[in-house]
Structures are given as C-alpha cells and as structure tokens.
Amino acid sequence: MKFTISREAFLKPLVLVAGVVERRQTLPVLANILVGVEGDQLTLTGTDLEVELVGRVSLDQAGEDGSVTIPARKLMDICKSLPDHAMIEVAQTDEHVLVRSARSRFKLSTLPAADFPNVEDSPESFEFEVPQMALKQLVDQTGFAMAQQDVRYYLNGMLFEVAGDYLKVVATDGHRLAMHTVNLENSVDQTHQLILPRKGIIELSRLISDGEGDITLTFGNNHIRAVMPDFTF
C-alpha cells in the first residue's frame, strides 16, 4: 500500500475517524484505524465495536492498492504537527508504515488488516432518505434532553421512529423530554423504531452538515447506518 495526499485533505477525515477510537481498548487493533487504497480512492475506518465510521477521500493520483491498520492517535498527531499545505506520503513496508513529508520521516508499527473487526449488516433492514439539514435540526433540538449516565441505559440515547410519512426523534432523562418531527417524501407501511446510544448521536452530529443533499439511513435489528457522500457511519 502506498499513496500521496495533501495534509488538508487527509487531516479532516482522519480527525473524525480517529474520534471514534477509544483511548482505552481491550483489543490492540481497536486503537488503530484501517487504511485502505483502491485505485484513486482512500478509505479510513475506525471503530470501538459500538460505533464504526468510514471516511472516503479521492486521491489526485492513484496509489498502490492495499490495506493495513495504523495507530490512530499517533498518525493524527503527526499530521497535525506538519505545516499547512504539506504533502504526505504513506508507504507500507513489512510490519511498519513510513510517513514522509519534506524532510520529516516517521515509522509506525502496524497490525494486519485481517485482524480489524467488521460490523456486519443486520439481516432485516429498512432504508429511507432524509435531508441533511432536517436530520441536523432533529438532533440539535432534542439531543440536550438525553441522559448521560443513567442506570436506565435506554435513556442514554435517542429514540428514532419512522412511520407513515414522518421521522420522529425523542430524547429524555426522566425529568424533561424533547421531541421533534420532520416529514419524509415517501411514506412507509410499517412503524420502525430504534434507540441510538449517546455516543452514536454525538458522532453522528459531528458528521452532519447544514448543506444540501440527503442522508441514507438504514435501520437493522442491531445497527443503524448513515451514508453520506464522504462518510459511512
């Protein structure tokens, strides 16, 4: 695996993906992010087994295909320390990755990509689209009411409900309750509900922008997936 990318193009998705990675991990590979190259497409994947985030970046020039896991915090700290507009070259050599930029050289240990956990799709799923701006409004206007460390774990998150032609979200900590609803373009026959944990809501809110375009949401038995142009959450 080998690719070259500008600091600015690399740093934004890297910071978001690395934000999913917990500092204290039970498995060493969970402290890493999965970096993969296929043609001119670079993908970055981070997970803590509860939340998985995949960032996609288009390279100016096609790199050498391959994938490997790299320590997330160290790679992010290296990129932050480089000057603006710097070009970064990342190349895999045996069990290490070399990061080069101008006269700077860094050597990081790696773990095989095959050891990286994969969040599987739920067998039963329901998919629909919602505007980014509408979803951001839903989260911003209800997220404050979520509980933080309540023993009633189901309060430490947000309820999503899709029924008819609307999407409703509800959050409560047992003392206050916030609810907001937006209309959908297409109606659904059945009612679908799930609770997204607090960390998932926080990470999702970081990704949503005020811009145009839709987000594709998929409800599964145990997961929710949000697909955006540059990220899959």
Side-chain angles (χ1 to χ4, degrees):
M1 184 200 69
K2 183 178 181 181
F3 64 92
T4 302
I5 191 172
S6 67
R7 175 183 180 272
E8 285 68 26
F10 194 35
L11 190 58
K12 179 183 176 181
L14 178 60
V15 169
L16 289 172
V17 170
V20 174
V21 178
E22 294 286 354
R23 294 185 180 273
R24 296 180 180 179
Q25 296 290 354
T26 54
L27 298 173
V29 73
L30 293 180
N32 292 9
I33 59 172
L34 177 64
V35 180
V37 176
E38 186 173 348
D40 62 351
Q41 187 78 10
L42 170 67
T43 59
L44 308 172
T45 307
T47 184
D48 64 353
L49 297 182
E50 179 183 341
V51 175
E52 180 187 81
L53 180 60
V54 182
R56 295 177 291 274
V57 185
S58 295
L59 302 172
D60 293 334
Q61 296 180 347
E64 294 181 6
D65 292 358
S67 58
V68 70
T69 71
I70 306 174
R73 301 289 175 183
K74 292 181 180 179
L75 182 59
M76 183 174 63
D77 290 343
I78 289 172
C79 293
K80 285 183 174 180
S81 68
L82 297 174
D84 294 341
H85 309 297
M87 296 301 296
I88 302 172
E89 180 186 289
V90 180
Q92 181 182 3
T93 59
D94 297 327
E95 297 180 354
H96 295 87
V97 158
L98 298 178
V99 181
R100 300 186 180 94
S101 180
R103 290 184 291 178
S104 300
R105 300 288 187 276
F106 306 91
K107 188 175 183 180
L108 300 176
S109 299
T110 63
L111 290 171
D115 295 345
F116 196 80
N118 182 32
V119 177
E120 298 180 355
D121 290 335
S122 298
E124 297 182 8
S125 59
F126 165 72
E127 184 177 293
F128 65 98
E129 291 186 350
V130 60
Q132 284 197 65
M133 191 175 298
L135 186 58
K136 182 174 178 61
Q137 188 179 26
L138 285 174
V139 173
D140 290 347
Q141 295 190 4
T142 56
F144 69 90
M146 286 188 298
Q148 295 193 26
Q149 293 180 332
D150 200 296
V151 293
R152 296 166 292 181
Y153 62 90
Y154 47 85
L155 297 183
N156 303 319
M158 186 179 293
L159 172 70
F160 282 69
E161 177 181 283
V162 180
D165 61 349
Y166 69 84
L167 167 63
K168 178 190 297 181
V169 297
V170 183
T172 181
D173 59 3
H175 301 282
R176 57 186 180 179
L177 182 146
M179 180 179 70
H180 194 54
T181 305
V182 297
N183 292 325
L184 301 175
E185 292 185 1
N186 300 318
S187 61
V188 299
D189 298 331
Q190 298 179 340
T191 300
H192 302 267
Q193 291 183 330
L194 59 77
I195 298 175
L196 184 58
R198 181 181 181 86
K199 179 176 180 180
I201 292 294
I202 293 173
E203 295 298 333
L204 181 61
S205 65
R206 294 171 61 197
L207 298 174
I208 305 172
S209 67
D210 293 323
E212 301 293 331
D214 293 340
I215 293 178
T216 301
L217 293 178
T218 303
F219 287 7
N221 287 339
N222 302 311
H223 298 96
I224 182 174
R225 171 175 281 106
V227 179
M228 290 154 270
D230 296 328
F231 294 95
T232 298
F233 166 82

